[in-house]
Amino acid sequence: MNEPGIIRKLSEEVVNRIAAGEIVQRPANALKELIENSLDAKSTNIIITVKSGGLKFLQIQDNGTGIRNEDLGIVCERFTTSKLRKYEDLQEISTYGFRGEALASISHIAHLTILTKTAQDKCAYKASYENGKLKGPIKACAGNNGTQITVEDLFYNVVARKGALRSPTEEYTRLMEVVGGYAIHNSQVGFTLKKFSENTDLKTAMKSSVIENVRIIYGNTIARELIEVEILDANLKLSIHGYITNVNYSNKKGILLLFINHRLVDSQAIRKAVDSVYSTYLPKNSHAFVYLSIELDPKNVDVNVHPTKHEVQFLYEEQIVEKIKTCIETKLLGCSSTRVLYTQARLPGAAQPRDVADQPTDAAKTSAAHMVRVNPNVQKIDKFFELEPNKTNQLTRDNASAVVNDVDQQQKIPSEQDLNNSIVKEPAEDNKVQEKWKQYTEVGQANITYVDPKDSFKTRTFQYQRIETKLTSVKQLRLEVENNCNSNLREILANLIFIACIDCHKSLIQHSTKLYLCDTTRLTEELFYETLLYDFQNFGFIKLSNPLPLEELFVLGLNGSTQNSEQDSELGDTGEMAQHMTQLLLSKRAMLYEYFSLEINGNGELLALPLLLDGHVPFVGALPTYLVRLVTEVNWDSEKECFETFCRQTAKFYAQPNPDPNAESVSSEHRRQEHVIFPAIRKYFLPPSSFVSNGAILQIASLNDLYKVFERC
Ligand code: ADP
Ligand code: MG
């Protein structure tokens, strides 16, 4: 028979150590308490130095009030605090710590030293602690105003805890999170975090701003997408202020910085609510950056549900969570119309074609017996033109495919970052087409997919919330496009196979067994004209790297157009005209921004152009002329004509290829046409009937007939 265990009372020291280990579970918990003490002491600059993720050495230096010499004896005893005198104070307290436990706990599980000086004291005092008590006499020494707390060998006497901790690197990451969080929340206070005898890892300035600190800590990708949120509710005694990322930003790892009454905490309820709102706007399994500072009546918060005070509970949780959800939802709805594509800083030519391999392969609707075209991605005519003189020399039958690959690789594939920055998603049907194609290629070489010509602008789907325009004028213009569409041509273009660019204005395409010559510029102009009508109010932005003064652009544009004109003098002073023109566009600024994402600031500087097609940037050399035409050719007086002429001029501008004859820009122009323009034409373009007869699309050969010719040979 087993003997019953004998119950012994644990020594006070062990009890305290266990309790301390509950409160301080890892260096980051200790640091949080110490930062809060420094903030309570009105510090404006806090410097943190660590060694081994804070396990060996964790020091925090502040410039706050300091600790009075006479308090140094008891400061590390349990339940000693300068912030609470009677029980009722608990309800009113607005400082962070109020249980007088932090320093006591730390002293039970680490070597703790305090060096402090108040403004009144002539010198600083230094004291070391063990198990809540002074370890030796308090020594007078030199020091600055404020407090420096040093924690060494954390958990030296709690072997189990030490073993459970992860690597110093991971602990350091958590320290960074804590410092980063408090630095963002307390942007007026300067924070520095560094590893012992190494360079600074994180530093924010005093009197900085929330956004600036987000930029320093989390980078510009997040900082530039922030929108401010604010909720006030007198009934709930609630006020919320914060910054959240808009729908342009998403990341696999979400960030929720939640402060309740200025304490960094977590709340599962809020976390879930935030995620559920964003899930409708962001791609699957990706999250946002959310920083919220919630202030509640302290009476309504219970921070003591968790020993480390990490999780909090508060009254009226459901209502508050609901308020947060609605607020974020409204904000996201408001911004979902502004898709932003951040192109590279330098224009033009910043756009890059999509990965060729991602494009579904296509073939015409024709029986396999008549199939002549191979997968257009495998081999194209332009590969046999002199793209790269030194390489074409090697182009023999045997190594032709090797050269083809080589050329393909030179096409710059967009980096993940580029794609992430753009939230313009492919229509959902595309995936189906791709799936379909995959099946076909698996089965055999007969890679036939057929795009129903009825798929048109009308069936475009987007993953983000679209604004449906209420303007009848725009709807009328769309209707005109649809009525004017030639369905035969639509069928041809919807199933086109791109063969080659002849030059920047002409291309060859194939449909079924027929070969066509297209006027690329004309097709592109028409495509953009339609895009402007169908994506009305839903454009992204092409942000210019520098604001461009309109007036100067107008001067350039005017000089360009009058160079050969004899009426030069009659036109009057160019400068004055440029001024008038700027005024006109300035007066239309709000409309241009809302409907067309053409952004002009109050100083008459151009900030952004509309993003009509992902991957396409207009030739900026034509910008001055375009702006002049906006003033002279657009009918600003009547709504429908205004939109029609504006869309027409803009489409002309966007369709203009870069005339630079140098080989590199020509080939980049060709690539753009092949990988950006023609895929869009396949997908969306409704060709007007006039294209049948005006030479925009000409049939130049029928392969059936050609075969016959060959057969005779
Ligand atoms: P609490 O913060 O709950 O009062 P702590 O154990 O964290 O308990 O701190 C005990 C006391 O030590 C505080 O009430 C405060 O008076 C003093 N103290 C701690 N850190 C600092 C500091 N950095 N500057 C000034 N006083 C401090
Ligand atoms: Mg404290």
Side-chain angles (χ1 to χ4, degrees):
M1 278 257 283
N2 286 339
E3 295 281 312
I6 302 164
I7 299 174
R8 293 186 194 89
K9 197 168 190 284
L10 290 172
S11 76
E12 204 187 320
E13 208 179 288
V14 174
V15 173
N16 280 334
R17 196 178 302 160
I18 293 171
E22 285 297 307
I23 294 167
V24 180
Q25 296 185 343
R26 53 188 352 139
N29 302 134
L31 181 61
K32 197 158 128 182
E33 295 290 340
L34 297 173
I35 290 179
E36 291 186 344
N37 280 347
S38 294
L39 291 169
D40 278 342
K42 311 262 176 309
S43 309
T44 56
N45 199 20
I46 298 176
I47 301 167
I48 299 137
T49 315
V50 303
K51 224 192 256 180
S52 287
L55 289 162
K56 272 233 136 329
F57 182 91
L58 177 65
Q59 186 176 70
I60 171 165
Q61 165 84 58
D62 68 41
N63 61 353
T65 56
I67 303 171
R68 298 182 318 153
N69 183 23
E70 51 267 47
D71 291 340
L72 274 178
I74 58 158
V75 72
C76 284
E77 282 177 27
R78 259 190 116 179
F79 312 123
T80 54
T81 174
S82 58
K83 300 163 196 171
L84 180 74
R85 271 173 221 107
K86 51 185 197 304
Y87 181 77
E88 290 71 44
D89 287 353
L90 251 180
Q91 313 235 299
E92 302 297 330
I93 203 107
S94 63
T95 54
Y96 299 111
F98 45 76
R99 304 193 303 191
E101 264 181 315
L103 290 182
S105 303
I106 294 170
S107 80
H108 280 283
I109 49 174
H111 302 301
L112 179 81
T113 310
I114 300 180
L115 173 69
T116 187
K117 179 179 173 301
T118 61
Q120 288 77 40
D121 286 337
K122 295 219 163 49
C123 67
Y125 295 97
K126 189 175 183 173
S128 293
Y129 300 84
E130 193 175 279
N131 296 328
K133 304 244 158 37
L134 270 176
K135 217 162 126 186
I138 301 169
K139 287 184 198 142
C141 57
N144 298 327
N145 283 352
T147 307
Q148 182 193 67
I149 296 192
T150 312
V151 179
E152 282 166 291
D153 299 319
L154 190 61
F155 304 125
Y156 75 99
N157 52 1
V158 197
V159 183
R161 172 72 63 206
K162 210 169 176 181
L165 287 177
R166 300 278 180 82
S167 65
T169 328
E170 186 169 337
E171 295 308 323
Y172 188 70
T173 312
R174 289 176 187 255
L175 294 177
M176 295 240 306
E177 279 167 14
V178 169
V179 179
Y182 278 90
I184 287 169
H185 185 68
N186 301 278
S187 56
Q188 294 298 301
V189 180
F191 281 85
T192 304
L193 171 67
K194 59 181 182 179
K195 288 193 190 129
F196 196 81
S197 75
E198 279 186 33
N199 285 340
T200 303
D201 275 331
L202 187 158
K203 185 177 170 70
T204 60
M206 286 193 261
K207 303 208 177 89
S208 174
S209 69
V210 172
I211 294 187
E212 184 49 32
N213 285 359
V214 171
R215 191 187 319 279
I216 293 169
I217 293 155
Y218 289 103
N220 202 27
T221 343
I222 292 180
R224 70 181 175 201
E225 308 291 1
L226 291 179
I227 25 180
E228 198 170 1
V229 289
E230 188 127 46
I231 304 172
L232 290 173
D233 189 311
N235 288 338
L236 291 169
K237 294 196 176 154
L238 163 80
S239 93
I240 300 182
H241 181 248
Y243 288 90
I244 61 174
T245 43
N246 63 34
V247 293
N248 288 320
Y249 173 82
S250 72
N251 197 297
K252 284 202 190 73
K253 196 168 160 265
I255 297 163
L256 175 66
L257 280 182
L258 180 64
F259 283 79
I260 295 188
N261 291 353
H262 307 287
R263 194 176 165 95
L264 180 60
V265 290
D266 199 1
S267 150
Q268 286 308 321
I270 294 180
R271 193 174 279 276
K272 270 200 203 125
V274 167
D275 263 345
S276 80
V277 180
Y278 272 100
S279 66
T280 32
Y281 295 89
L282 302 185
K284 220 174 161 210
N285 294 328
S286 61
H287 308 271
F289 167 92
V290 171
Y291 155 63
L292 292 177
S293 165
I294 304 182
E295 284 187 72
L296 292 166
D297 186 339
K299 286 195 193 93
N300 295 344
V301 193
D302 186 358
V303 291
N304 288 330
V305 287
H306 195 270
T308 63
K309 302 183 228 158
H310 182 61
E311 270 275 344
V312 288
Q313 265 177 7
F314 42 93
L315 280 179
Y316 313 115
E317 185 175 276
E318 250 170 62
Q319 289 99 311
I320 292 173
V321 166
E322 210 39 55
K323 284 222 164 291
I324 296 176
K325 267 173 110 166
T326 327
C327 173
I328 296 183
E329 180 93 54
T330 329
K331 288 282 171 185
L332 294 185
L333 260 178
C335 76
S336 62
S337 61
T338 46
R339 291 178 277 149
V340 179
L341 175 79
Y342 287 92
T343 52
Q344 286 168 353
R346 192 173 53 86
L347 288 170
Q352 288 157 4
R354 279 181 182 279
D355 191 349
V356 185
D358 285 342
Q359 308 277 329
T361 313
D362 40 13
K365 186 197 181 190
T366 162
S367 74
H370 283 108
M371 278 289 294
V372 283
R373 173 106 287 252
V374 292
N375 174 348
N377 293 326
V378 175
Q379 199 178 32
K380 282 172 243 110
I381 283 186
D382 58 4
K383 301 295 186 283
F384 299 94
F385 295 150
E386 263 200 34
L387 263 183
E388 283 218 74
N390 50 348
K391 287 216 172 106
T392 31
N393 298 340
Q394 313 159 5
L395 193 69
T396 64
R397 260 184 109 91
D398 288 336
N399 66 5
S401 65
V403 175
V404 169
N405 283 339
D406 216 328
V407 175
D408 266 352
Q409 265 153 25
Q410 287 169 1
Q411 299 183 350
K412 213 165 158 216
I413 289 162
S415 66
E416 199 179 332
Q417 183 67 27
D418 292 340
L419 292 180
N420 283 346
N421 281 341
S422 158
I423 62 145
V424 186
K425 291 287 177 303
E426 293 295 323
E429 292 95 26
D430 260 23
N431 298 335
K432 280 189 221 141
V433 174
Q434 236 163 350
E435 283 305 320
K436 223 157 119 189
W437 170 66
K438 272 189 206 143
Q439 284 173 11
Y440 279 119
T441 41
E442 273 161 25
V443 174
Q445 296 312 308
N447 46 358
I448 307 165
T449 53
Y450 178 65
V451 179
D452 188 339
K454 281 187 236 70
D455 285 352
S456 70
F457 276 95
K458 281 184 269 186
T459 60
R460 274 204 205 193
T461 51
F462 290 78
Q463 280 190 0
Y464 59 89
Q465 198 88 15
R466 261 175 85 82
I467 299 184
E468 268 316 316
T469 186
K470 295 191 182 69
L471 300 176
T472 15
S473 56
V474 176
K475 288 184 186 157
Q476 273 171 5
L477 289 167
R478 287 179 186 172
L479 202 64
E480 282 169 23
V481 168
E482 281 155 30
N483 290 339
N484 196 20
C485 170
N486 179 298
S487 55
N488 281 342
L489 267 188
R490 169 67 191 147
E491 200 266 340
I492 292 173
L493 293 178
N495 294 286
L496 75 86
I497 293 162
F498 181 85
I499 310 262
C501 291
I502 309 249
D503 59 26
C504 285
H505 299 279
K506 295 256 177 299
S507 327
L508 280 178
I509 60 162
Q510 182 191 321
H511 173 260
S512 181
T513 51
K514 300 197 174 73
L515 201 57
Y516 298 87
L517 180 67
C518 304
D519 184 329
T520 320
T521 318
R522 229 189 276 184
L523 254 71
T524 313
E525 180 186 321
E526 221 48 50
L527 171 79
F528 285 142
Y529 174 74
E530 292 175 10
T531 306
L532 279 153
L533 291 179
Y534 282 87
D535 279 352
F536 190 81
Q537 275 185 287
N538 286 289
F539 301 108
F541 293 90
I542 300 173
K543 292 265 180 201
L544 304 178
S545 42
N546 293 313
L548 299 177
L550 282 178
E551 218 172 298
E552 285 176 32
L553 290 171
F554 277 124
V555 171
L556 276 176
L558 287 168
N559 287 341
S561 64
T562 54
Q563 238 166 30
N564 305 322
S565 161
E566 289 161 15
Q567 306 159 342
D568 220 344
S569 53
E570 276 177 42
L571 280 172
D573 181 23
T574 325
E576 210 172 291
M577 262 175 79
Q579 250 173 29
H580 285 306
M581 291 174 135
T582 308
Q583 283 314 317
L584 180 96
L585 283 200
L586 263 176
S587 69
K588 311 287 176 203
R589 193 175 134 216
M591 178 193 90
L592 292 173
Y593 180 77
E594 192 189 338
Y595 294 157
F596 296 107
S597 300
L598 189 86
E599 196 180 356
I600 297 171
N601 67 14
N603 302 331
E605 289 169 322
L606 184 65
L607 302 181
L609 292 168
L611 173 71
L612 300 191
L613 182 60
D614 217 5
H616 179 86
V617 173
F619 167 58
V620 197
L623 183 61
T625 319
Y626 163 62
L627 291 172
V628 171
R629 292 207 177 131
L630 282 191
V631 176
T632 56
E633 308 291 319
V634 173
N635 178 348
W636 293 99
D637 302 327
S638 109
E639 184 180 299
K640 190 177 156 202
E641 270 89 86
C642 168
F643 291 145
E644 187 180 1
T645 44
F646 179 89
C647 293
R648 181 54 63 191
Q649 290 307 324
T650 309
K652 274 190 202 299
F653 168 46
Y654 274 69
Q656 220 175 101
N658 184 347
D660 186 353
N662 108 32
E664 202 179 306
S665 65
V666 170
S667 79
S668 103
E669 192 63 49
H670 287 186
R671 277 204 300 273
R672 184 158 67 199
Q673 292 184 359
E674 176 178 352
H675 298 296
V676 179
I677 304 288
F678 276 95
I681 288 178
R682 276 175 55 98
K683 258 187 236 156
Y684 312 122
F685 186 44
L686 303 179
S689 305
S690 61
F691 275 19
V692 179
S693 51
N694 68 2
I697 301 173
L698 283 177
Q699 185 190 323
I700 53 172
S702 156
L703 293 178
N704 280 345
D705 299 341
L706 277 182
Y707 277 144
K708 282 179 201 143
V709 176
F710 285 129
E711 274 162 16
R712 264 184 252 135
C713 298

